[in-house]
Amino acid sequence: MKRRDFLNSMALGASMVVPVGQSAWAATSANPTKQKLVVVMLRGAVDGLNVVAPVGDENYLRLRPTIGLSAPGVEGGALDLDGYFGLHPALAMLQPLWQQKKLAFVHASGSPDSTRSHFDAQDYMESATPGRKNTPDGWMNRLVATLPGVSTPSRALSIGPVMPRILSGPSAAINLPNGAAATRATILDRPAIGAAFDQLYAGHERFGRAYKDGKDAHKEVMDASMNGEMNMADGGAPLPNGFPDDAARLATLMRNNPKLQLAFVALGGWDTHANQGAGRGQLANRLAPLGQGLAVLAERLGPMFEDTTVIVMSEFGRTARENGNGGTDHGHGNVMWVMGGAVAGGKVYGDWQGVADSALNEGRDLPVTTDFRSVLAQVAERHLRLSDRQLAQIFPAMPQRSAGFQIVRS
């Protein structure tokens, strides 16, 4: 059985006449930071074929006799999405967003580069320049530089152990550690010590501006926080167990600090080579707190969720066929998640080819039929209201902008 939901008739710009080089959605708002974007990176390559499983394809359980999800209605089975695709049962808390049409998926999506190296694939996805290793900055850092209005150091925020590649570059951004300690007062918040450092860096040509930006961003985050609180494949990213708490803190910061517009979170633990499990097991134990955190973020944002788009992505997918260890190996195509108030949800988008042997990339995994950059560009254009010129700066050398479907409403 094959299912195609390519929606060519809804391609971007199909019924719009705009000046050459301009986007119909060029930013005109007096509030340039109103539209928010949150990106969640699942480091280690999550198994998209068990996140959004093609349970209606007879080949699916043939390829995955022990780790494949059972049909909807069976205990531990997938949650029905559209009669063909099913959602992993550990993500049940996201079903209300699907039913409210505020959650969608793009299947068989990813990077056109064929690497199965975690390091290279994550680098390409964070730089948005697949195959090019010398790109000096990340696409979210370039995004900061193109957004309208005056940027403050806290306009872009990362939650994690280090500043990620995706936000690295000349534009200012702030990085907070995971957990409640991230927004507790530091030694520099003591007046005497803070004043001493102010004097030390005052007028310093090289470090003075960076110090001031960092201090200003820290103050904004402290003011916005509630009660002043806040392995190699994983690239140092933590397991998702603490994500619900981090998501709640992020929502609080976004509500209390209108200058905060972009946020990035990386979560590890998705490299399931062995003992992956089906409806229960290792993957389910990772997905449950991820789904809970996303649901908490949507709930805690309140009305602001209507102006927020959340993208969940991973460097590549996993093999369609389970391996001898009850797991899956490095693959190619995957599934992207898009949720938010402006999302045309309740659909699984993409040029889906099925999982018959003849449809698989190199006979082993999903092909990439939707370039991940086309999804990001659509969000940047329709949600953040960026022009064609701005999109070209963020996503250089992207061969085709239109994803072939409209996942973000106007």
Side-chain angles (χ1 to χ4, degrees):
M1 176 180 181
K2 291 185 178 181
R3 178 183 183 275
R4 296 175 184 267
D5 192 14
F6 204 26
L7 304 181
N8 282 306
S9 63
M10 299 179 71
L12 292 178
S15 60
M16 302 176 190
V17 178
V18 297
V20 174
Q22 293 294 317
S23 165
W25 308 110
T28 58
S29 174
N31 183 3
T33 60
K34 181 181 179 182
Q35 308 302 121
K36 314 291 186 181
L37 174 66
V38 178
V39 177
V40 179
M41 181 80 173
L42 306 182
R43 299 194 188 278
V46 69
D47 181 18
L49 279 173
N50 267 21
V51 171
V52 178
V55 291
D57 191 318
E58 61 185 9
N59 293 292
Y60 171 67
L61 287 179
R62 176 181 61 82
L63 294 167
R64 298 180 165 214
T66 68
I67 69 168
L69 298 179
S70 302
V74 177
E75 183 179 359
L79 306 173
D80 181 54
L81 293 178
D82 60 7
Y84 178 87
F85 287 110
L87 186 66
H88 195 288
L91 296 171
M93 62 288 294
L94 295 181
Q95 261 204 315
L97 290 170
W98 173 267
Q99 294 162 351
Q100 296 163 20
K101 301 189 183 306
K102 295 182 179 180
L103 170 65
F105 299 97
V106 184
H107 228 318
S109 59
S111 170
D113 190 88
S114 61
T115 184
R116 291 190 173 92
S117 158
H118 290 293
F119 178 83
D120 288 345
Q122 289 177 29
D123 182 84
Y124 296 154
M125 188 156 277
E126 293 184 72
S127 69
T129 55
R132 188 193 305 173
K133 294 186 178 183
N134 61 351
T135 304
D137 47 17
W139 70 261
M140 287 188 75
N141 193 277
R142 298 194 295 273
L143 175 59
V144 175
T146 60
L147 288 169
V150 178
S151 292
T152 67
S154 67
R155 191 170 195 175
L157 168 74
S158 167
I159 296 178
V162 296
M163 182 65 75
R165 172 82 161 99
I166 201 169
L167 273 170
S168 297
S171 299
I174 186 171
N175 187 76
L176 291 180
N178 301 88
T183 50
R184 289 179 184 153
T186 69
I187 191 171
L188 290 179
D189 292 306
R190 299 176 184 176
I193 296 177
F197 272 84
D198 289 347
Q199 185 175 1
L200 176 64
Y201 285 101
H204 195 291
E205 182 178 354
R206 183 177 179 187
F207 298 121
R209 178 60 184 272
Y211 169 76
K212 184 180 184 303
D213 285 349
K215 182 179 178 181
D216 290 347
H218 174 71
K219 183 179 185 303
E220 287 181 13
V221 170
M222 291 290 289
D223 290 344
S225 64
M226 181 171 55
N227 299 323
E229 296 270 333
M230 195 47 199
N231 68 48
M232 289 192 66
D234 297 339
L239 295 177
N241 303 55
F243 180 56
D245 289 339
D246 283 336
R249 277 185 287 275
L250 175 59
T252 297
L253 293 173
M254 294 178 71
R255 287 200 321 267
N256 293 347
N257 181 7
K259 298 176 183 179
L260 174 55
Q261 186 175 16
L262 310 177
F264 176 80
V265 183
L267 303 172
W270 308 100
D271 198 20
T272 51
H273 284 283
N275 303 317
Q276 178 174 309
R280 296 183 179 86
Q282 181 185 178
L283 179 61
N285 293 340
R286 302 282 189 266
L287 289 175
L290 170 61
Q292 182 184 351
L294 293 172
V296 165
L297 179 64
E299 178 185 5
R300 295 289 185 91
L301 284 175
M304 186 179 285
F305 184 65
E306 294 303 312
D307 297 315
T308 301
T309 297
V310 181
I311 298 173
V312 181
M313 59 186 191
S314 194
E315 65 262 35
F316 46 69
R318 307 195 72 81
T319 49
R321 184 175 285 102
E322 66 180 69
N323 61 29
N325 296 317
T328 49
D329 298 318
H330 299 175
H332 193 39
N334 207 336
V335 63
M336 295 178 73
W337 320 13
V338 187
M339 55 182 270
V343 173
K347 289 181 178 289
V348 179
Y349 293 94
D351 183 7
W352 176 255
Q353 305 287 338
V355 288
D357 291 343
S358 60
L360 296 177
N361 172 62
E362 299 179 352
R364 55 174 278 161
D365 38 48
L366 285 182
V368 170
T369 57
T370 299
D371 191 314
F372 77 99
R373 294 170 295 177
S374 67
V375 179
L376 300 178
Q378 186 180 142
V379 172
E381 180 182 30
R382 300 183 68 86
H383 178 61
L384 299 177
R385 308 293 196 254
L386 298 186
S387 68
D388 288 349
R389 179 184 58 80
Q390 291 168 317
L391 293 176
Q393 293 174 342
I394 302 166
F395 306 107
M398 186 172 69
Q400 180 182 358
R401 179 165 304 134
S402 176
F405 49 80
Q406 182 176 302
I407 199 170
V408 180
R409 295 192 299 268
S410 60

